[in-house]
Amino acid sequence: MKITGNTILITGGTSGIGLSLAEKLLAQGNKVIITGRRANRLNDIKARLPEIIIKESDVADAGQRVELKDWISKNHPDMNMLINNAGVQLVFDLKTPIDPDRVHSETETNFVAPVHLSTLFVPLLTDKADSAIINVTSGLVFVPVALMPVYCATKAAMHSFTLSLRYQLKDTAIKVFEIIPPQVDTELGHDRRADKNKSHGGMPPDEFVGHFISAIQSDELEAAIGAAEGLRQQRETIFERFNDSVVLI
């Protein structure tokens, strides 16, 4: 896959992996469009990176997803790469009744949105010689952390969906990638931290993005990065040991 001269849409592009990707891909000669819910963050990024294109959009809202597709089709019909990156990570105590609204919010953002967006953009991408849909999942696809059961389930669902999407699009020009991060040092999971601005540690985003772009460039359609590769190889054999080290609610 070529990594220059693309028009790329990145959801969840105002922080973490999405923002690091946007910065790197912009520097490599791509037109980059980022979405996010927070207008102030989008405007701050635009002030710092004037060449970036911003679009306020909440991927958890089906109507806004359709509006995003229509806006892209009208204003950036040369778009040839969709990166489904937006995500939310919540904790649940399964010993007590859960709040269905929280489950719905996490499921809509992490699973329904990328499924819907992928299918919305397939017609726009089909006639492009160099086109791709890239889904960002997680090493927790293979070994879930019981503290965040819905998040892990949505990422496992996205792994399964990506396999099916790749198969259904095998006779088109669209390449379907799954990039599987390890723990990356971002704001993800701030739901369980007292300081909402504190990250949880892990691989620096810039380092992860380097692996991400290398995988795309080499057409590695399913790329598990760093520790995520170990989780893919060992899977259930380390589930109990992995979760014994996590403090439950």
Side-chain angles (χ1 to χ4, degrees), residues 8-231:
I8 304 169
L9 172 62
I10 305 174
T11 67
T14 61
S15 64
I17 290 171
L19 181 55
S20 291
L21 268 173
E23 293 170 337
K24 184 68 172 178
L25 291 169
L26 192 66
Q28 291 185 330
N30 298 284
K31 180 165 75 172
V32 177
I33 308 156
I34 62 170
T35 72
R37 295 179 294 109
R38 293 168 286 193
N40 61 324
R41 283 205 176 187
L42 289 167
N43 292 329
D44 288 346
I45 293 166
K46 180 69 173 178
R48 183 168 59 84
L49 301 169
E51 294 181 357
I52 207 163
I53 299 165
I54 60 172
K55 173 63 173 171
E56 185 178 353
S57 182
D58 183 357
V59 298
D61 183 285
Q64 292 188 47
R65 295 194 294 264
V66 173
E67 193 274 333
L68 174 62
K69 184 268 297 182
D70 292 342
W71 181 82
I72 290 286
S73 298
K74 179 180 178 180
N75 296 284
H76 305 284
D78 56 338
M79 176 203 151
N80 67 309
M81 188 182 297
L82 168 65
I83 301 180
N84 284 311
N85 168 73
V88 62
Q89 186 184 86
L90 305 178
V91 298
F92 288 90
D93 181 357
L94 301 181
K95 301 185 297 298
T96 61
I98 60 174
D99 180 352
D101 289 339
R102 280 167 59 85
V103 175
H104 180 268
S105 172
E106 193 167 20
T107 304
E108 190 76 22
T109 300
N110 295 354
F111 180 65
V112 179
V115 170
H116 190 198
L117 285 170
S118 295
T119 56
L120 282 172
F121 281 106
V122 161
L124 183 65
L125 299 176
T126 298
D127 62 351
K128 307 275 196 323
D130 294 291
S131 59
I133 296 173
I134 304 170
N135 294 326
V136 179
T137 60
S138 170
L140 302 181
V141 161
F142 309 112
V143 182
V145 172
L147 184 66
M148 49 194 78
V150 177
Y151 175 83
C152 297
T154 59
K155 292 301 184 178
M158 276 306 300
H159 172 68
S160 177
F161 169 75
T162 303
L163 293 173
S164 296
L165 181 66
R166 186 180 300 128
Y167 185 85
Q168 289 201 22
L169 298 182
K170 63 185 174 65
D171 295 325
T172 75
I174 304 171
K175 295 178 180 178
V176 179
F177 292 87
E178 179 182 4
I179 306 298
I180 308 168
Q183 180 172 289
V184 179
D185 192 9
T186 69
E187 295 176 4
L188 187 69
H190 66 74
D191 177 67
R192 65 182 186 275
R193 294 192 293 274
D195 182 352
K196 301 303 183 186
N197 295 315
K198 186 178 180 181
S199 68
H200 55 47
M203 182 181 288
D206 286 348
E207 180 182 346
F208 170 73
V209 165
H211 292 296
F212 185 117
I213 292 175
S214 177
I216 301 305
Q217 189 173 24
S218 61
D219 285 338
E220 187 178 353
L221 297 180
E222 183 180 301
I225 308 302
E229 175 59 22
L231 297 179

